[in-house]
Amino acid sequence: MSEQTGAEKGVDQDPTRGQEKRQKAPRRPSLARRFFIALSAIAAVAAIAVLVCSSLIYQSVTVDDAGRMLESECRVVCASLRGDDTDVMRLTAFDSGDVRVTLVGSDGTVLYDNQNSVASMPNHADRPEIAEALADGTGSAERDSETSGYVSVYRAIRLANGNVLRLAVDRDGAAAAVRHDLLLVCAVVLVIIAVCWAASRLVADRLVSPILAIDPAEPDAAVTYVEIEPLVERISEQVEELRGADLMRREFTSNVTHELKTPLSSISGASELIRDGIARPEDVPEFAGRIYDEAHHMTELVNDILTLSKLDESERSGDASLLGAPEPVNLLHVAREVATRLAPVAEKTGVSITAAGEACVVQGYPRLLDELVYNLCDNAIRYNHEGGWVDVSVSLEDECPLLVVADSGSGIPAEQQAKVFERFYRGEQSRSRETGGTGLGLAIVKHAATLHGAALTLDSEPGHGTTVCVRFPGQ
């Protein structure tokens, strides 16, 4: 017989494949990293914005100071001029430093300029400061250089003879100011960014630390932010739900094990007696009947478990298609069929069963509706007494189909009524084996009613029977 290879057994023989999958897995985003990047980016943008605003303010202040200085100097120079042909000579002898001095005639002709040849200078009558001085006596203007990044500040005063004296000075614009101190500016920006980086890292860690401190097993909304309280509360609810589900699972497993172990022990014991020839020939049919009954009980139990499993999966996923397609179902027809099927069982125990009412159509799942009615009626027969009755009625109440299963059985104590729809719960533990059943019938009834949007109510009194009502929503 040949050995199976690792591939045939479905075993991964390449240990690096898992590593490759882990390496290919996309890296999940980090909240702390996002906080850090966002804060750093905001800080950097803020630093650049402050630099730009500071440069603009610097330019504005510098230009204003230059304008006031020129106005003062312009008045001083005007006081030294006579308003005649000697003005050009006086201006030539005047030490103006870096201030540009220009004398313009009343017709816009440049008469003198201490930095350029007047022969090469065009008429200045259209210059704003000159035109304003000719009209109002004084004029001012600021013009940006398109190439050098400087701002030229002009102040002009009209003389007594109609000529205009104009003084001008260049001051750094915003771009020039930054360019002149580029190294210092870069150093300041780098320091700001470094400080912001460290501060952002610290702030991001502190912002995220309360979230990282949340214990999924024991979440406490009081130690987190107000904004994530709904999330923490939802986690708490889910933790409780998981604990409840885990407890239910363990109880369910324990109950299933117990329910399966009992018939298996009976089957094993009876079959062993027959196998070993210990059973007398006349007792073999009895042992065979016991094996058959216990196997039938196990079949019912497995079927009920499978039904509940499908109902649980449908509720959990919200996908009712697992149970098939819904269709119109005549509830009265289902009740009568169930009563007919259970009539022989009821007759053996001395119980009568009847089904009556009016035709009511329910949009649902035929097999589940059949199990709902069957389990209610079967339960009513099991916990009844000889000479008792089970009455199934179907009616339309307020345009809602209503199924009522009433019996004359032993009734259910008030403290047990909330538990009868739980899985494997039996009100009469001493009669559990005697009455049979899987202990899952009413649990299936509860889930089937929920799936169909029906309201399930129970009214019972010990010694006076039980009435179960299933009210379906109006169609």
Side-chain angles (χ1 to χ4, degrees):
M1 191 172 182
S2 61
E3 273 189 3
Q4 284 183 308
T5 64
E8 292 171 340
K9 293 180 181 179
V11 178
D12 189 354
Q13 298 296 318
D14 187 358
T16 63
R17 187 174 301 173
Q19 297 177 357
E20 292 177 356
K21 289 181 179 179
R22 287 192 294 271
Q23 292 173 356
K24 292 179 181 179
R27 185 178 180 182
R28 290 178 297 175
S30 167
L31 182 60
R33 183 179 177 82
R34 286 192 174 185
F35 273 136
F36 167 68
I37 293 175
L39 291 172
S40 298
I42 291 172
V45 171
I48 295 173
V50 168
L51 176 63
V52 172
C53 292
S54 300
S55 300
L56 293 175
I57 293 173
Y58 170 80
Q59 175 191 0
S60 176
V61 171
T62 301
V63 169
D64 288 343
D65 289 344
R68 285 192 291 270
M69 179 198 70
L70 287 180
E71 288 178 3
S72 299
E73 291 191 10
C74 209
R75 296 186 187 280
V76 171
V77 174
C78 283
S80 66
L81 300 180
R82 295 182 178 181
D84 53 21
D85 294 338
T86 64
D87 288 345
V88 173
M89 182 180 63
R90 293 177 182 275
L91 290 174
T92 302
F94 181 74
D95 183 11
S96 60
D98 62 346
V99 177
R100 181 182 179 187
V101 180
T102 307
L103 184 63
V104 181
S106 59
D107 59 352
T109 303
V110 178
L111 303 176
Y112 170 79
D113 190 275
N114 66 339
Q115 295 181 0
N116 297 289
S117 172
V118 296
S120 62
M121 298 178 67
N123 190 285
H124 277 37
D126 59 344
R127 303 298 170 90
E129 67 277 5
I130 301 298
E132 187 178 353
L134 289 172
D136 302 329
T138 60
S140 62
E142 289 88 26
R143 287 193 285 276
D144 294 329
S145 171
E146 297 181 358
T147 57
S148 61
Y150 291 96
V151 176
S152 297
V153 183
Y154 298 93
R155 292 293 183 270
I157 296 180
R158 186 182 62 199
L159 302 178
N161 62 353
N163 294 338
V164 175
L165 174 67
R166 185 186 73 175
L167 270 63
V169 68
D170 290 336
R171 289 290 181 262
D172 288 344
V178 173
R179 186 169 59 251
H180 289 170
D181 299 318
L182 183 60
L183 292 178
L184 178 61
V185 169
C186 291
V188 171
V189 170
L190 289 176
V191 169
I192 293 175
I193 291 177
V195 172
C196 292
W197 183 89
S200 300
R201 174 64 67 184
L202 179 62
V203 171
D205 290 342
R206 290 192 174 184
L207 287 175
V208 176
S209 57
I211 301 176
L212 297 177
I214 297 174
D215 183 3
E218 297 291 341
D220 184 4
V223 299
T224 59
Y225 300 113
V226 174
E227 290 79 5
I228 62 174
E229 277 187 8
L231 173 62
V232 176
E233 291 173 358
R234 180 57 184 153
I235 293 175
S236 300
E237 294 174 1
Q238 290 182 339
V239 168
E240 293 302 321
E241 291 174 2
L242 288 174
R243 287 174 179 170
D246 183 62
L247 179 61
M248 183 182 297
R249 177 188 60 79
R250 283 184 285 179
E251 290 179 351
F252 184 77
T253 303
S254 176
N255 287 327
V256 168
T257 302
H258 174 73
E259 292 292 332
L260 289 175
K261 187 177 181 180
T262 302
L264 280 173
S265 298
S266 179
I267 292 172
S268 178
S271 59
E272 184 178 4
L273 291 174
I274 296 175
R275 184 198 65 185
D276 295 341
I278 299 176
R280 293 178 299 178
E282 58 270 21
D283 293 334
V284 170
E286 180 185 347
F287 287 129
R290 186 183 303 174
I291 292 173
Y292 174 81
D293 291 340
E294 296 296 351
H296 180 69
H297 175 75
M298 288 181 62
T299 301
E300 289 182 338
L301 178 61
V302 171
N303 287 337
D304 285 349
I305 291 173
L306 290 175
T307 299
L308 272 176
S309 177
K310 285 186 178 180
L311 287 169
D312 286 340
E313 180 64 24
S314 175
E315 290 179 6
R316 186 164 47 251
S317 64
D319 183 11
S321 64
L322 298 172
L323 303 168
E327 57 184 80
V329 179
N330 189 330
L331 206 56
L332 178 60
H333 180 68
V334 172
R336 286 175 173 170
E337 280 193 349
V338 169
T340 301
R341 292 206 310 270
L342 288 175
V345 178
E347 187 177 352
K348 286 181 181 180
T349 57
V351 177
S352 64
I353 180 170
T354 59
E358 57 182 308
C360 294
V361 176
V362 174
Q363 189 73 15
Y365 303 91
R367 186 177 65 81
L368 282 180
L369 290 172
D370 181 87
E371 286 203 42
L372 184 148
V373 179
Y374 183 93
N375 288 334
L376 286 175
C377 294
D378 182 61
N379 203 67
I381 294 172
R382 290 179 188 278
Y383 295 96
N384 218 310
H385 56 80
E386 187 174 356
W389 50 266
V390 176
D391 182 26
V392 185
S393 64
V394 179
S395 61
L396 198 63
E397 187 174 290
D398 296 331
E399 299 184 356
C400 294
L402 178 65
L403 170 71
V404 179
V405 178
D407 64 65
S408 60
S410 56
I412 305 170
E415 65 273 10
Q416 296 181 5
Q417 291 180 14
K419 302 177 181 179
V420 295
F421 292 100
E422 295 179 3
R423 303 176 188 196
F424 294 109
Y425 181 82
R426 288 188 175 94
E428 299 182 29
Q429 295 295 337
S430 61
R431 296 182 57 197
S432 61
R433 298 302 302 167
E434 177 186 341
T435 56
T438 63
L440 298 174
L442 292 183
I444 292 175
V445 169
K446 175 185 174 182
H447 285 276
T450 301
L451 180 68
H452 288 86
L456 184 65
T457 58
L458 180 145
D459 183 21
S460 182
E461 184 179 349
H464 294 82
T466 301
T467 301
V468 178
C469 300
V470 186
R471 182 184 297 273
F472 294 87
Q475 302 300 310

